[in-house]
Amino acid sequence: MADPAGSPAATARPRVLLTEEPVPQTGPTSDQPMGVYEVALNAGTDSSSGLATAGVCTAKYLPTEWHLNNSELYHKAFTGCEQAQRGRAEAKELAEYAAAAAQRAQQDSTASVSQRLQDIHFWKAELQRKIEDLDAETRLLAAQKLRLERALDATEVPYAIATDNLQCRERRQAPDLVCDEVERELLKEAELVRNIQELLKRTLVQASNQMRLNRDHKEFCEMDWSDKVETYNIDDKCGKYSNQSTDIQFHPSSVKLEESASTPETWAKFSHDNIYRAEREKLASLSLRALIDNILHDTSEDLRKQCAAVNEAFAKHCEELDDTKHKLKYHLKKILKEIGYQEANIAALKRAIKDKEAPVKVAQTRLYDRSFRPNIDLCRDEAQFRLISEVEELTESINSLKKKLLESEQTLRNLEDTRMNLEKEIAVKTNSIFIDRQKCMAHRTRYPVVVKLAGYQ
């Protein structure tokens, strides 16, 4: 019985029996086909064929063939064991290498996922900060926009006051219906209010547009942040997978890269651009808020200064009207007194003229009677000359008195006209004072305060 394959005896004997080096076997023993031997037909002198061998099997091997067949079997067994041992060693080494490589790859992948989580967390935190900044900035800008709306509403009162004052002063009577300093200041105030209203309306449009941009970029950041949150959760879940996880399975189709997938550079640039644009809009909103604050401060100050200028012009003009009215009354009082004196003077002149009638009658009667003196007694004596002189003197005196009476009457008429003009002018000044002080200045007490003009109320 032959020794088991691989023992020293089995390996020694084939080497003694083999007459030539066997061909190395390249394939496994199981792949070799079974040897087929043809039955030799012995026809030679040494052959056993013949009548003596009738009924006996003639398909026999030669001893060399028998030894060769055994040697081949030994060699195949030896090489098979050797290849199996080498295959086991290589398989073990390959399995150990594959296990180590798989462990290293899994560790590297886990580290990459962890690093990726840090990157995602960084951008997610930056995006969240920008979202909060934009949200806070939008609320502050909305408060400034509300101030603008309040300030715009508050300007309606100054404009109504200015236009009402101008309309009221149109009811002044001549000659007080003049374009004075008060009217010029009122026109400046109305123009200032209109300009401020236009400025506030333009600024309101700017604020609305900036708020819309803030919300748009906030929405972009929120969408990016939402994607980052979802990605973080996915990668966090992936980072927690291990070989002992129960929810892992094969996904052969997941190995291929998506055509629409981004690169790390484009991925980071996308979030960076969103943050940059959000920061840009935040700074623009901050600048606009500062501008709105300055506009509201300046416009409220300008309106209050112009209001003070108008009030000062009104006060000054009312003082002038009061002073003029006082002077007119003083002159009216003098005119009335003078009219009284003049009327008394006229009465005295009329009495003086009337008083001269009797002396004239006496003198003329004397001359008339003496004209009837007879003959030679009709003499141009001293008495005649004195009577003629008396009549002439009285006539001249009466003419002078009449002339003076005419002058006095004209003076009286002039005084009466002056009195009427003074009384009319006093009435005009009274009306002007009533309009400026009782109507306009009283209406101006409703002028909004600086706090309301600045939009705080």
Side-chain angles (χ1 to χ4, degrees):
M1 185 174 183
D3 293 331
S7 65
T11 56
R13 271 197 299 269
R15 291 175 187 170
V16 177
L17 295 175
L18 288 176
T19 58
E20 58 184 10
E21 188 70 19
V23 179
Q25 191 166 350
T26 58
T29 307
S30 60
D31 293 338
Q32 297 295 327
M34 295 297 292
V36 180
Y37 303 96
E38 296 180 358
V39 179
L41 298 177
N42 297 325
T45 56
D46 297 329
S47 175
S48 59
S49 61
L51 294 176
T53 59
V56 182
C57 180
T58 59
K60 294 182 180 179
Y61 296 97
L62 298 175
T64 56
E65 291 175 343
W66 182 80
H67 286 292
L68 179 61
N69 182 53
N70 289 336
S71 297
E72 289 177 355
L73 290 176
Y74 299 156
H75 178 70
K76 288 179 181 179
F78 172 76
T79 56
C81 291
E82 195 176 47
Q83 288 178 356
Q85 291 175 358
R86 186 167 56 250
R88 288 198 307 274
E90 290 176 356
K92 182 179 180 182
E93 182 181 358
L94 180 60
E96 292 175 354
Y97 174 79
Q103 185 177 5
R104 284 195 305 271
Q106 191 176 89
Q107 290 175 351
D108 292 342
S109 297
T110 304
S112 297
V113 171
S114 299
Q115 181 61 40
R116 188 63 174 171
L117 284 173
Q118 294 179 5
D119 295 341
I120 294 172
H121 178 73
F122 169 77
W123 288 113
K124 181 168 67 72
E126 290 295 316
L127 287 167
Q128 185 173 1
R129 185 167 62 86
K130 289 305 172 188
I131 291 169
E132 293 172 355
D133 291 346
L134 274 179
D135 188 56
E137 185 61 35
T138 304
R139 287 197 300 270
L140 293 175
L141 187 58
Q144 291 292 74
K145 182 173 177 286
L146 180 61
R147 284 185 60 196
L148 282 173
E149 292 171 349
R150 290 174 177 172
L152 182 60
D153 293 338
T155 56
E156 294 296 332
V157 176
Y159 187 72
I161 290 175
T163 53
D164 181 75
N165 289 166
L166 289 170
Q167 292 174 358
C168 284
R169 297 188 92 242
E170 289 296 323
R171 296 195 291 270
R172 292 175 298 167
Q173 301 172 358
D176 280 7
L177 190 60
V178 295
C179 184
D180 53 4
E181 183 66 22
V182 176
E183 185 167 345
R184 287 191 292 271
E185 292 296 335
L186 282 172
L187 290 173
K188 285 173 59 178
E189 184 178 48
E191 183 66 20
L192 176 64
V193 173
R194 285 195 295 268
N195 293 337
I196 287 176
Q197 287 177 341
E198 291 298 324
L199 176 61
L200 293 179
K201 289 177 182 177
R202 291 196 302 270
T203 311
L204 270 173
V205 173
Q206 284 183 281
S208 299
N209 292 336
Q210 187 60 52
M211 289 176 63
R212 178 178 55 80
L213 290 174
N214 287 356
R215 294 191 182 100
D216 289 345
H217 286 82
K218 177 190 171 187
E219 184 177 354
F220 294 152
C221 290
E222 285 176 341
M223 292 173 64
D224 194 4
W225 177 85
S226 178
D227 292 342
K228 294 291 184 293
V229 170
E230 185 175 357
T231 304
Y232 186 89
N233 292 335
I234 292 173
D235 283 356
D236 183 57
K237 180 181 178 182
C238 292
K240 292 178 180 178
Y241 280 138
S242 65
N243 295 332
Q244 288 74 36
S245 299
T246 59
D247 53 347
I248 56 176
Q249 56 185 344
F250 290 107
H251 296 282
S253 60
S254 64
V255 178
K256 64 178 181 179
L257 292 175
E258 297 290 339
E259 294 181 359
S260 60
S262 62
T263 63
E265 292 76 14
T266 57
W267 175 81
K269 186 177 184 300
F270 181 79
S271 296
H272 177 270
D273 291 344
N274 283 334
I275 292 173
Y276 172 77
R277 286 191 292 266
E279 181 66 20
R280 183 183 61 191
E281 296 305 328
K282 174 190 171 184
L283 294 177
S285 179
L286 187 64
S287 300
L288 182 58
R289 283 198 299 111
L291 177 63
I292 292 173
D293 193 65
N294 292 333
I295 287 175
L296 291 175
H297 177 269
D298 294 342
T299 54
S300 60
E301 288 295 326
D302 291 344
L303 286 174
R304 288 306 304 179
K305 286 180 181 179
Q306 185 60 32
C307 176
V310 173
N311 291 340
E312 184 179 355
F314 264 119
K316 184 178 179 180
H317 186 62
C318 288
E319 288 180 2
E320 292 176 351
L321 289 174
D322 286 336
D323 183 64
T324 303
K325 181 180 177 182
H326 177 73
K327 290 179 180 179
L328 288 173
K329 285 184 176 181
Y330 172 75
H331 287 288
L332 178 61
K333 184 177 180 181
K334 290 181 66 177
I335 287 294
L336 291 174
K337 191 174 183 181
E338 190 61 32
I339 287 173
Y341 291 154
Q342 196 65 22
E343 288 175 346
N345 180 45
I346 290 173
L349 286 172
K350 288 181 178 180
R351 284 195 302 272
I353 292 172
K354 190 171 184 62
D355 289 344
K356 296 299 183 291
E357 291 179 356
V360 170
K361 289 179 181 179
V362 171
Q364 288 180 354
T365 301
R366 284 176 178 177
L367 286 173
Y368 178 76
D369 288 346
R370 293 191 82 224
S371 66
F372 292 102
R373 288 176 298 170
N375 302 322
I376 196 67
D377 285 334
L378 187 61
C379 180
R380 298 178 181 176
D381 54 7
E382 183 65 27
Q384 186 70 21
F385 287 116
R386 187 67 189 93
L387 285 172
I388 293 172
S389 176
E390 180 184 5
V391 171
E392 291 177 351
E393 288 177 0
L394 287 173
T395 302
E396 184 179 357
S397 177
I398 290 172
N399 290 334
S400 297
L401 288 172
K402 287 182 178 180
K403 183 179 180 181
K404 181 56 70 176
L405 177 61
L406 292 175
E407 292 178 358
S408 298
E409 288 177 346
Q410 184 62 42
T411 301
L412 179 60
R413 286 194 291 271
N414 293 338
L415 289 173
E416 288 291 345
D417 291 341
T418 303
R419 177 186 66 81
M420 292 178 63
N421 290 333
L422 286 173
E423 289 176 347
K424 182 179 179 181
E425 194 65 24
I426 289 173
V428 169
K429 294 297 181 287
T430 302
N431 179 64
S432 298
I433 291 173
F434 174 78
I435 290 174
D436 284 355
R437 181 171 289 162
Q438 303 299 326
K439 289 286 187 179
C440 296
M441 294 187 70
H443 195 190
R444 295 191 69 80
T445 57
R446 296 170 51 197
Y447 207 92
V449 295
V450 176
V451 176
K452 192 168 185 178
L453 291 173
Y456 289 111
Q457 294 180 353

